[in-house]
Amino acid sequence: MFGALRAGGAMHRLVRLAILAVLCSFPAWAQDAPAPALPTPFLGGSFRALVIGNNAYRDPKRVWRPLKTAVNDAEEVARLLRGQYRFGDVRLVVNASLRGMVQAFNQLAEEVNANDSVLIYYAGHGHLRQETGEGFWIPVDAE
């Protein structure tokens, strides 16, 4: 759906721009190794991220076909957030069932503090209901 995130590629630049927009004036350090987490500059909280990548769809009717690059995209985003942007809490969830997605969100909600900044990234199938404008992320066990 999103293609591979290659250094210098269009998707890579788009992800970096999205991250920069979230971080506003938070400086980016050019390093790949994870560094100690930094507090958010304005609120005194931490930067947290939930990153979900779904490739292995198991729909017997084949409405939701398996994907090739969503997991790779999510892994690259998680790596960038940990290393270059120094997020202290990055949760990577791969090939999440409905139960796995709900558990990941519930765990994050229980642990996040009022002053934390949270980024959520999803790579996988989605569905938009035209009549209501509601959008949905599709877990790997959807039918």
Side-chain angles (χ1 to χ4, degrees), residues 5 48-55 69-82 87-97 100-101 103-105 107-108 119-123:
L5 280 175
R48 298 175 185 266
L50 174 58
V51 179
I52 302 170
N54 285 344
N55 276 352
T69 62
V71 169
N72 291 341
D73 291 352
E75 289 171 343
E76 178 66 9
V77 168
R79 186 188 68 74
L80 284 170
L81 292 174
R82 286 184 186 116
F87 273 55
D89 179 12
V90 178
R91 299 153 195 242
L92 176 63
V93 181
V94 174
N95 294 319
S97 63
M101 289 173 73
Q103 285 177 335
F105 275 100
Q107 183 180 14
L108 179 64
L119 182 143
I120 299 171
Y121 176 89
Y122 175 78

Side-chain angles (χ1 to χ4, degrees), residues 1 57 64 101 122 124-139:
M1 182 173 188
Y57 288 88
W64 308 112
M101 289 173 73
Y122 175 78
H125 283 300
H127 176 72
L128 177 65
R129 277 195 182 150
Q130 295 296 327
E131 57 277 357
T132 64
E134 293 177 306
F136 301 91
W137 294 339
I138 306 300

Side-chain angles (χ1 to χ4, degrees), residues 14-113:
L14 180 62
V15 168
R16 289 185 69 162
L17 286 173
I19 292 168
L20 287 174
V22 170
L23 299 180
C24 297
S25 64
F26 188 68
W29 291 270
Q31 60 184 12
D32 287 329
L38 296 177
T40 58
F42 303 110
L43 301 175
S46 297
F47 285 117
R48 298 175 185 266
L50 174 58
V51 179
I52 302 170
N54 285 344
N55 276 352
Y57 288 88
R58 304 182 297 261
D59 179 12
K61 295 180 182 174
R62 309 267 305 153
V63 173
W64 308 112
R65 295 182 183 269
L67 298 174
K68 294 181 181 176
T69 62
V71 169
N72 291 341
D73 291 352
E75 289 171 343
E76 178 66 9
V77 168
R79 186 188 68 74
L80 284 170
L81 292 174
R82 286 184 186 116
Q84 191 167 352
Y85 294 99
R86 298 172 71 177
F87 273 55
D89 179 12
V90 178
R91 299 153 195 242
L92 176 63
V93 181
V94 174
N95 294 319
S97 63
L98 176 59
R99 179 182 172 95
M101 289 173 73
V102 170
Q103 285 177 335
F105 275 100
N106 284 342
Q107 183 180 14
L108 179 64
E110 289 175 9
E111 296 175 10
V112 72
N113 297 308

